[in-house]
Amino acid sequence: MALNNTYDARPAQQETAVGAGVQILLLALLGTAIGMGPAGWVTGLVFAVATWAVLSRALHRSRLSSFGAANRVTLGRATLVGGVTALVADSFESAPPVSVLVGLTAVALVLDGVDGKVARRTGTSTALGARFDMEVDAFLILVLSVYVSMSLGPWVLLIGGMRYAFVAAARLAPWLNAPLPPSTARKTVAALQGILLLLAGADLLPHAANLGVVLLALGLLVWSFGRDVLWLWRRSRMRAMVAAEVDEVLESSVEEVLVEATRAA
């Protein structure tokens, strides 16, 4: 009797389709409530389709048997981020209520730590889930940077673009792809980016205070990335030195064997 090892991706991918449907429903609610313009609609729909397509492909590659509770939480966060993205795009043409943008962003930030806890408690932590969570966080920071840059200047985009610049640099310098050790400081800095950008975007403080808040966020991020890059560079140099010493030992051993063989002959 032959075993059926065929992987069925439909159950997990059906949930990504549901997520896309919920994203469209959220856009419809926002459109009805605030009269969202074409820019917001188009951007939100593109986000929904892109999220569905990329996540479906990743699920098929990872061959997960089920989507998992933690990924459902992350997908819910992604839906909120899609709403924030649509509002920010709409803000280039009109002035959507800041309270709605702040509310969606605040819920997305609060849920940031929930998916990880759910994954650990249910024993369903996966590489895909961790990557999904990281990409949602990074994109939210990028969108918030775009929003805040409209009032403080384009330099704020350095915050949202730094992670993507790091990924691009890793293609040219593969040593940047090495795994980093766990770091509470790194996690804290990453969490603070969304909070500080949200505070500046809420426009509750004077302009000078908002400027100081965003400069603090940028300074912390530069320090965190700089520390990690320095650690990765030192690690790559150490590995290169060890490899060189191993090659030297092997070369010496080969020479000794050849000398002994010559003498024996």
Side-chain angles (χ1 to χ4, degrees):
M1 178 178 178
L3 294 177
N4 183 10
N5 293 323
T6 302
Y7 167 63
D8 187 2
R10 288 176 297 176
Q13 292 186 351
Q14 285 172 355
E15 299 203 39
T16 66
V18 171
V22 173
Q23 179 74 82
I24 295 173
L25 177 61
L26 176 60
L27 294 175
L29 292 174
L30 291 174
T32 302
I34 67 173
M36 191 165 58
W41 269 104
V42 171
T43 304
L45 290 174
V46 169
F47 180 91
V49 173
T51 301
W52 167 79
V54 172
L55 189 55
S56 295
R57 183 177 178 83
L59 282 169
H60 185 76
R61 286 183 172 181
S62 64
R63 302 178 68 84
L64 291 178
S65 58
S66 64
F67 195 61
N71 284 334
R72 293 188 189 102
V73 175
T74 309
L75 185 59
R77 290 180 52 235
T79 301
L80 295 174
V81 172
V84 174
T85 303
L87 290 175
V88 171
D90 192 55
S91 66
F92 283 93
E93 295 181 345
S94 61
V98 176
S99 59
V100 177
L101 188 147
V102 169
L104 292 177
T105 304
V107 176
L109 291 174
V110 169
L111 292 176
D112 186 19
V114 174
D115 43 13
K117 291 181 179 179
V118 171
R120 288 189 293 272
R121 289 181 179 180
T122 58
T124 55
S125 298
T126 62
L128 172 62
R131 181 66 182 272
F132 185 25
D133 179 52
M134 181 175 61
E135 295 299 340
V136 171
D137 290 342
F139 195 79
L140 177 58
I141 298 304
L142 176 61
V143 172
L144 290 176
S145 298
V146 172
Y147 183 70
V148 175
S149 70
M150 288 188 281
S151 59
L152 294 182
W155 62 270
V156 183
L157 296 175
L158 291 171
I159 296 176
M162 197 169 300
R163 190 256 172 181
Y164 296 100
F166 180 85
V167 172
R171 293 182 176 273
L172 301 176
W175 54 270
L176 290 171
N177 287 314
L180 287 162
S183 171
T184 302
R186 186 188 310 117
K187 294 179 180 179
T188 302
V189 170
L192 283 174
Q193 298 305 303
I195 296 172
L196 295 175
L197 285 172
L198 178 60
L199 179 60
D203 204 21
L204 298 174
L205 303 174
H207 180 82
N210 284 334
L211 179 62
V213 166
V214 179
L215 283 172
L216 174 62
L218 179 59
L220 290 172
L221 195 62
V222 169
W223 170 79
S224 180
F225 269 97
R227 188 183 68 155
D228 286 344
V229 169
L230 180 60
W231 187 91
L232 290 169
W233 181 79
R234 287 175 174 172
R235 180 179 182 274
S236 69
R237 296 296 298 173
M238 185 176 299
R239 289 174 65 90
M241 291 174 60
V242 171
E245 291 177 359
V246 170
D247 289 342
E248 184 178 350
V249 170
L250 290 175
E251 185 178 350
S252 299
S253 299
V254 170
E255 290 179 354
E256 291 177 0
V257 170
L258 290 175
V259 170
E260 291 297 331
T262 302
R263 290 177 179 175

